[in-house]
Amino acid sequence: MANQNVRAAGSSEPPALDWMSRTLQWGTRVRPDKGGVTLGALNVGIYGDIPDEWDDMTRMPRGAFPLRGVPAIGGYTQRRKADLWADNAAELYEEAISRGWVPARDVPWDQAMPLAEDVELAMAQVCTELSQEASIETEVLSGWLQELSFGYHEIKLFLATEVFDAGRHFELFRKRALINGAGLRLESPGQVNRMLLESRAGWTETSILLHLLRGCFTQTVYRYCAAYAPTDADAFIFRGALQDKARHLAYGMQHLRYAIAHRPDFDEQVQRFMTGAELSVTRDDADPVLWEALAIVFGRGIRHMDTGMNVVSRMRQDYVRTYLDRMKWAGIDRHARLLPAFASVLGLATSAA
Amino acid sequence: MTTITNSLPALKEYGREMGYDLGWLEASPSWGQRVEPGRGGLVLDDVEGAAPEAPDESRNLTGRPRGTLARSAVPRVGNYSVRTKADIWLRNAAELYEEAQQRQWSSATDIPWERVTALPDEIERAECQLATFLTEVEFVAGDVPGRWISSVTPDYFEPRMFLISQVMDEARHLDVFRKRALVNGGGLMQRTAAAAAVTGGAIDSARDFSEMSARLHMSGEGSVLTLFRIGELMAYNDAEKQIYRLAAQDESRHVAFGVMHLQYLAQAAPDRREEIQTYLDEAERNLVTGASGQNPASTGAPSSEALAVLLGHGVDNYDEGMRLLLAARQRQVREYFQRVKVAGFGERFENGRANKMLEQYVNAA
């Protein structure tokens, strides 16, 4: 027997071992397949029963043997499946991990050679704003994590990968702005940032703003920057970020679709608040800095800025179309109610005010 | 067509004549200074020479990245409670973040799950009880750092980035232990019963970052790290060994963050030393009593009994398992001593302030 002092400090009683029979379902045997053992594959038997509501306000794992009288921790306010669920979250979580990449090592930085001064400064301006967007995204997401119930751990885990992706993008664009001496440039106008941080109605509402409204914009900018990248390193950077962003949007779209299907009246609520949300975008859009910087990058210099600005116009149209298409896929048709300033990008007239 | 030179002022003038604003396009004082990637690629420390250092106090309330030029008409969106460098800083956060990036792993494919084979029922139950405990508590260290990320000014982005990597690591830990519970004919077992959050003193309830870090990194994660490090002793196959090895690698970074932060704080804000000692008083009580619910080896917890069953290779050898568990607890305490000393608060072990129960553990045969 061990030293009595230590035994006294440890346990002087025979083991109770009463936990040994405390399981709600025994005999679960998930075996690896080609992709190993994935999160989604664990959803078998009671472990795959995903309730419409999860009242527990602690970190009890779904399917664990409950105990009476465990007090709430605080937070975990988003406890209805319709508040956060997306069927693709477990798959997106594993995809995020399997497609992880490392900016320090994977980007061919030696190919990010200095560009002409006007183009390099413009690229630094674009990267400064994208870095700030990513930084705000980390703040928005991480602020919500503790509000999301443990009954839906797939969502929490996927969003953890999104925080990590956004951190990677912050780092990535910061490095790109700084590598050639252009330095970080002007901060972004901030109206959409404010909207995202101040959105507290519920996770679904924030997710729509973050993933559909801002996310479609960021994705479109990444796509055009990849297509018009002035160096191989830039092409790599924007393609990598684009791949990550596609996952974030896939969650956002799927979740919105789920929420629309399961929350009565929510579609009309979305229609109402998106008008204000689009207004925030148009206020940022009135600022010329990002458009001019992109035009210089796309046109490869001030001399060809008109050509670049034509590309920017196409990009902005693509953004609005993408946003409308994805909202429609999720169950929200904004065509008839689009904010006029938004519709004008497409040359559309609307009846919305 | 106007003939123009390639100088920036001339190009800008040309652009303005074409109707563009270009007021934002100013020459950079660091123009011409290219940063070359090093052997490890282009890490944050490489490029930061070209950006301003973190200030001792931050007045950045608009969320702009450090070094970005401010605009006057931007709303103050950042409700950042952490705007003093000593409250969050450490010297190697960027390095720890880059290491976290490099050492990500996949619980789906990097664990040799096919090596998990049928175990005696009591061993499988003990494995599943321990895995249930760990899948429940690991994401404490995801939710709580998550909340602090949005409370820290982006002027201190290096520690923020590290916390982001910790959220990712803890997601993977929640996931890998859930997987372990469900791959071998077992299932999830009894949840934990910690109640500290109601009355304060819990990791969740800390209202100061350093207080949270002392509870989470120095104490909670430190005690789990010790157990991961002895994973070889309680693993029954290569898959479990690999889980503990990889989780220990992650956890080491988290604990290092806490140690290095307290070290910085001790030096930069000596007036806070006594306050930090009170957090350590608390951390020691939690380590010994298990009140925080973070230490799987704490007395009386189902996870503690499960550990004894695993270490003893069965219920029949429970006393031997308990002997090994006590040795593990002693190691937890020794490693805690070391962390506190490195952080610069080791005098508590000389002046009688440290919890006497810890001494009992350390001096036990």
Side-chain angles (χ1 to χ4, degrees):
Chain A
M1 185 56 70
N3 175 295
Q4 287 305 307
N5 284 340
V6 174
R7 184 70 167 160
S11 168
S12 57
E13 300 296 321
L17 299 179
D18 44 3
W19 49 269
M20 276 216 166
S21 58
R22 290 182 179 162
T23 177
L24 296 180
Q25 183 171 307
W26 196 247
T28 308
R29 192 182 301 277
V30 177
R31 300 312 295 166
D33 62 14
K34 273 198 317 187
V37 174
T38 59
L39 186 66
L42 303 181
N43 285 341
V44 292
I46 64 153
Y47 303 109
D49 290 344
I50 300 160
D52 289 336
E53 298 207 15
W54 183 261
D55 289 335
D56 186 271
M57 293 177 74
T58 72
R59 299 189 179 93
M60 183 176 77
R62 193 175 71 224
F65 189 90
L67 292 175
R68 288 190 66 242
V70 180
I73 289 174
Y76 307 122
T77 56
Q78 308 297 293
R79 301 199 303 276
R80 290 181 305 171
K81 189 175 181 185
D83 291 339
L84 70 177
W85 188 253
D87 288 333
N88 57 358
E91 197 179 325
L92 291 169
Y93 166 74
E94 295 287 4
E95 184 183 311
I97 290 176
S98 68
R99 295 196 176 179
W101 54 292
V102 182
R105 185 191 62 203
D106 295 339
V107 174
W109 292 109
D110 54 335
Q111 293 170 36
M113 296 313 290
L115 306 164
E117 190 175 6
D118 55 339
V119 184
E120 188 68 40
L121 287 167
M123 180 58 94
Q125 178 61 47
V126 171
C127 288
T128 299
E129 295 206 35
L130 294 177
S131 187
Q132 184 169 357
E133 271 190 24
S135 179
I136 296 293
E137 188 176 353
T138 66
E139 289 182 25
V140 172
L141 289 165
S142 61
W144 276 99
L145 272 181
Q146 195 159 6
E147 301 300 326
L148 309 181
S149 165
F150 259 72
Y152 312 105
H153 59 262
E154 291 90 343
I155 309 304
K156 292 176 77 80
L157 297 188
F158 168 70
L159 293 176
T161 70
E162 187 174 341
V163 178
F164 193 56
D165 289 344
R168 180 192 293 127
H169 297 174
F170 167 83
E171 168 210 345
L172 182 68
F173 294 119
R174 182 176 184 87
K175 287 175 174 173
R176 177 61 188 91
L178 290 169
I179 190 171
N180 287 328
L184 292 157
R185 310 307 297 170
L186 208 55
E187 70 179 310
S188 61
Q191 296 302 327
V192 176
N193 293 342
R194 178 167 72 170
M195 174 182 72
L196 295 172
L197 287 164
E198 289 185 352
S199 165
R200 302 303 300 167
W203 165 244
T204 304
E205 288 83 345
T206 304
S207 170
I208 297 167
L209 303 179
L210 180 69
H211 293 118
L212 277 301
L213 191 64
R214 166 61 75 79
C216 286
F217 174 72
T218 310
Q219 187 189 41
T220 308
V221 173
Y222 288 173
R223 191 155 56 85
Y224 272 75
C225 285
Y228 289 89
T231 71
D232 288 348
D234 294 319
F236 187 98
I237 286 169
F238 285 106
R239 280 201 302 264
L242 191 56
Q243 179 181 280
D244 296 339
K245 189 51 68 183
R247 279 194 304 276
H248 311 165
L249 267 63
Y251 164 77
M253 290 165 65
Q254 193 79 45
H255 170 50
L256 176 56
R257 190 175 209 179
Y258 190 88
I260 293 292
H262 292 86
R263 291 176 62 175
D265 190 48
F266 190 58
D267 55 345
E268 183 56 25
Q269 291 178 37
V270 175
Q271 291 284 12
R272 285 177 192 260
F273 71 70
M274 287 313 284
T275 301
E278 289 161 6
L279 185 62
S280 288
V281 174
T282 60
R283 290 174 71 189
D284 274 359
D285 281 359
D287 182 79
V289 177
L290 183 62
W291 308 134
E292 290 187 354
L294 285 165
I296 294 171
V297 172
F298 295 158
R300 299 291 167 92
I302 292 176
R303 287 172 193 255
H304 307 292
M305 220 172 142
D306 280 347
T307 308
M309 199 52 91
N310 287 336
V311 179
V312 169
S313 296
R314 283 207 308 277
M315 185 194 79
R316 294 175 68 180
Q317 288 169 8
D318 266 3
Y319 159 55
V320 177
R321 271 193 217 101
T322 305
Y323 160 69
L324 288 172
D325 289 350
R326 291 181 177 186
M327 290 290 280
K328 190 173 181 184
W329 181 91
I332 302 289
D333 190 343
R334 290 288 294 161
H335 281 87
R337 298 173 73 168
L338 198 60
L339 195 75
F342 233 56
S344 68
V345 173
L346 293 179
L348 297 173
T350 72
S351 57
Chain B
M1 169 130 185
T2 315
T3 302
I4 55 167
T5 71
N6 285 329
S7 75
L8 190 64
L11 287 169
K12 214 170 142 178
E13 185 54 35
Y14 174 73
R16 283 188 166 145
E17 284 171 11
M18 291 165 67
Y20 296 110
D21 178 87
L22 295 176
W24 56 273
L25 189 68
E26 297 292 341
S28 165
S30 55
W31 180 243
Q33 298 169 24
R34 178 174 158 80
V35 180
E36 293 298 336
R39 278 199 318 175
L42 189 72
V43 296
L44 278 169
D45 281 344
D46 292 332
V47 295
E48 287 312 309
E53 284 185 9
D56 289 338
E57 300 286 338
S58 168
R59 300 184 63 188
N60 176 0
L61 290 165
T62 62
R64 63 183 179 275
R66 189 173 80 224
T68 301
L69 306 171
R71 299 188 195 219
S72 56
V74 175
R76 290 187 165 195
V77 296
N79 182 27
Y80 305 120
S81 59
V82 181
R83 285 187 283 141
T84 301
K85 189 176 181 183
D87 291 348
I88 181 82
W89 197 253
L90 61 156
R91 291 199 172 81
N92 61 344
E95 199 179 316
L96 287 171
Y97 166 72
E98 293 280 6
E99 183 183 315
Q101 277 275 5
Q102 304 265 0
R103 295 196 173 179
Q104 291 296 301
W105 50 280
S106 163
S107 67
T109 55
D110 291 335
I111 306 298
W113 293 110
E114 69 285 356
R115 303 280 184 87
V116 182
T117 51
L119 294 169
D121 188 64
E122 64 194 39
I123 299 292
E124 184 60 29
R125 285 178 190 272
E127 287 286 359
C128 289
Q129 181 58 60
L130 181 61
T132 302
F133 175 90
L134 291 168
T135 200
E136 178 166 356
V137 305
E138 280 293 300
F139 209 68
V140 176
D143 277 345
V144 178
R147 203 170 60 215
W148 284 96
I149 290 164
S150 52
S151 300
V152 177
T153 168
D155 279 352
Y156 307 137
F157 71 83
E158 292 92 335
R160 267 175 45 141
M161 295 296 277
F162 172 80
L163 294 173
I164 286 168
S165 75
Q166 186 177 356
V167 171
M168 183 64 242
D169 292 344
E170 304 299 358
R172 192 170 46 238
H173 295 181
L174 180 159
D175 153 41
V176 78
F177 289 110
R178 187 175 179 89
K179 285 176 178 170
R180 172 57 194 90
L182 298 177
V183 295
N184 201 30
L188 289 170
M189 300 194 70
Q190 178 180 315
R191 51 108 13 113
T192 64
V198 178
T199 52
I203 291 168
D204 290 271
S205 49
R207 293 173 69 80
D208 174 82
F209 181 83
S210 303
E211 179 185 10
M212 184 282 290
S213 180
R215 287 176 189 164
L216 176 69
H217 298 118
M218 296 287 283
S219 175
E221 293 204 274
S223 62
V224 172
L225 172 59
T226 306
L227 294 174
F228 287 166
R229 281 179 173 155
I230 61 164
E232 295 273 334
L233 297 178
M234 54 190 188
Y236 283 76
N237 49 59
D238 289 345
E240 288 160 7
K241 285 179 187 170
Q242 181 74 339
I243 290 171
Y244 292 128
R245 211 175 288 142
L246 291 170
Q249 182 179 281
D250 296 340
E251 218 77 348
S252 297
R253 281 194 304 275
H254 310 162
V255 171
F257 175 94
V259 172
M260 296 304 287
H261 167 56
L262 282 193
Q263 190 184 72
Y264 184 86
L265 181 64
Q267 291 163 5
D271 56 312
R272 293 193 62 188
R273 289 185 63 86
E274 269 307 297
E275 170 206 339
I276 300 300
Q277 292 284 13
T278 67
Y279 302 147
L280 296 175
D281 293 343
E282 216 171 41
E284 288 169 10
R285 276 199 301 276
N286 286 340
L287 185 60
V288 172
T289 64
S292 68
Q294 299 300 302
N295 180 6
S298 63
T299 56
S303 54
S304 171
E305 292 185 354
L307 280 165
V309 172
L310 292 172
L311 290 165
H313 290 258
V315 174
D316 289 345
N317 294 325
Y318 190 83
D319 277 353
E320 172 61 9
M322 195 64 199
R323 190 184 66 76
L324 291 169
L325 179 59
L326 291 173
R329 288 179 186 159
Q330 288 167 33
R331 184 169 167 171
Q332 282 183 322
V333 173
R334 278 200 306 275
E335 292 183 358
Y336 167 77
F337 275 27
Q338 185 58 23
R339 288 194 295 276
V340 172
K341 284 178 185 169
V342 172
F345 294 87
E347 71 267 23
R348 60 188 292 109
F349 305 123
E350 316 287 329
N351 63 15
R353 180 164 189 160
N355 190 306
K356 301 296 180 292
M357 199 74 97
L358 292 174
E359 290 291 328
Q360 265 189 316
Y361 280 123
V362 166
N363 295 326

